[in-house]
């Protein structure tokens, strides 16, 4: 079901999009954000994002493209990442990675946050669909292999399940401090496929690296936490909590975790991830 790109459908989508600015939080300053302003059907701000193509990982099925069929601004201050299947059964989707990087400073709290929703297709029609909001250690851009670069998954969900997963990956594969390929993570139920706020907070105010934490929140409610002591190795912990990271938004199709899409899997806006903003805050 390969939907055509029509101005009329875009107008309808824009009308339902959640146009909003980044919220303010007591005790925090907004450092960087993208609120995805721009005309309907246009691409993301190239000063802020790299649009990734040619990447094949995790035995995923999709090819990442720059096409507006897969990646577009809604015109309502959101970005839509839309998986598509063509008449031959080949899948395409999109992945964007921020050019912006940040390092959580010692002695502070740092927040990374996004507000997002999922398309309305029923769970039964989302086998193999894998949306994610996450951060990757910037050292991977200079040749450090995964998972040694560090990875913080703020939100992943698979197969349309109303369960969100927060996870860190680190050290070495297989095994290592983060028990790869599993990582160290926790899960939370999601009330519905509508708009929700996902956040990770680095707290580096403890007197020792072992007491530092990363905490995950859904709509302001904590659902998981990992500490330096949990990881158990200062050098490895620093790749997660004291090294530059960058934002990633993507919708994968298939792969080792969700498994393959099936004959019931639907493409298009009903299987998309739509994001209202991505933001980085630092305690004041």
């Amino acid at each position: 079901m390969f939907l055509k790109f029509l101005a009329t459908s875009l107008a309808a989508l824009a009308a339902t999009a959640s146009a909003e600015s980044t919220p303010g939080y007591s005790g925090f300053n907004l450092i960087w954000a993208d609120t995805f302003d721009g005309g309907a059907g246009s691409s993301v701000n190239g000063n802020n994002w790299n649009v990734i193509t040619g990447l094949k990982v995790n035995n995923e099925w999709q090819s990442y493209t720059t096409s507006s069929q897969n990646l577009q601004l809604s015109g309502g201050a959101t970005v839509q990442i839309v998986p598509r299947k063509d008449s031959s059964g080949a899948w395409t989707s999109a992945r964007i990675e921020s050019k912006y990087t940040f390092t959580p400073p010692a002695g502070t709290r740092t927040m990374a946050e996004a507000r997002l929703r999922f398309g309305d297709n029923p769970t039964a029609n989302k086998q193999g669909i894998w949306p994610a909001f996450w951060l990757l250690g910037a050292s991977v851009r200079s040749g450090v292999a995964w998972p040694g670069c560090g990875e913080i998954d703020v939100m992943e969900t698979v197969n349309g399940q109303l369960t969100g997963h927060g996870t860190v990956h680190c050290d070495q594969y297989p095994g290592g401090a983060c028990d790869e390929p599993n990582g160290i993570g926790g899960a939370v139920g999601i009330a519905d496929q509508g708009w929700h706020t996902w956040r990770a907070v680095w707290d580096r105010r403890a007197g020792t690296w072992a007491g530092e934490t990363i905490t995950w929140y859904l709509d302001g409610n904590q659902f998981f936490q990992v500490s330096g002591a949990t990881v158990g190795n200062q050098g490895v912990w620093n790749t997660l909590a004291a090294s530059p990271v960058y934002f990633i938004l993507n919708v994968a199709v298939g792969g080792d975790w969700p498994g393959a899409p099936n004959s019931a899997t639907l493409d298009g806006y009903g299987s998309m991830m739509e994001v209202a903003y991505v933001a980085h805050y630092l305690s004041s």
Side-chain angles (χ1 to χ4, degrees), residues 42-249:
S42 59
S43 191
V44 291
N45 185 339
N47 293 321
N48 288 347
W49 300 96
N50 295 314
V51 181
I52 303 302
T53 60
L55 181 67
K56 291 288 188 181
V57 293
N58 303 317
N59 294 310
E60 295 163 10
W61 285 41
Q62 82 292 328
S63 296
Y64 287 127
T65 82
T66 61
S67 169
S68 59
Q69 292 280 345
N70 300 120
L71 175 69
Q72 63 177 13
L73 301 183
S74 67
T78 67
V79 65
Q80 297 166 333
I81 300 178
V82 187
R84 304 279 189 179
K85 184 174 73 170
D86 68 17
S87 59
S88 73
W91 285 87
T92 57
S93 190
R95 169 172 168 152
I96 58 174
E97 302 182 353
S98 70
K99 295 180 178 180
Y100 177 76
T101 67
F102 66 89
T103 303
T108 68
R109 289 178 295 160
T110 300
M111 294 200 311
E113 179 174 291
R115 185 162 176 80
L116 58 88
R117 76 174 185 101
F118 310 116
D120 294 332
N121 284 340
T123 296
N125 301 119
K126 285 188 172 181
Q127 169 60 40
I129 304 298
W130 182 3
F133 162 50
W134 52 300
L135 301 105
L136 196 58
S139 64
V140 76
R141 290 174 168 169
S142 56
V144 175
W146 183 91
C149 59
E151 175 180 328
I152 303 97
D153 301 324
V154 186
M155 186 291 305
E156 295 180 281
T157 186
V158 295
N159 302 330
Q161 298 167 2
L162 290 178
T163 303
H165 299 267
T167 312
V168 293
H169 296 278
C170 70
D171 196 16
Q172 65 184 31
Y173 174 90
C178 284
D179 187 30
E180 300 303 342
N182 299 312
I184 302 171
V188 62
I190 310 170
D192 52 47
Q193 299 193 102
W195 292 101
H196 296 284
T197 302
W198 297 85
R199 178 191 308 149
V201 179
W202 292 254
D203 190 338
R204 300 196 62 210
R205 297 174 298 173
T208 67
W209 66 271
E212 295 175 354
T213 59
I214 306 172
T215 307
W216 282 252
Y217 297 84
L218 169 59
D219 294 332
N221 299 307
Q222 179 179 331
F223 70 91
F224 178 58
Q225 184 177 84
V226 65
S227 68
T230 307
V231 171
N233 179 298
Q234 183 175 6
V236 174
W237 175 250
N238 285 346
T239 67
L240 298 169
S243 300
V245 293
Y246 59 89
F247 292 107
I248 304 178
L249 299 168

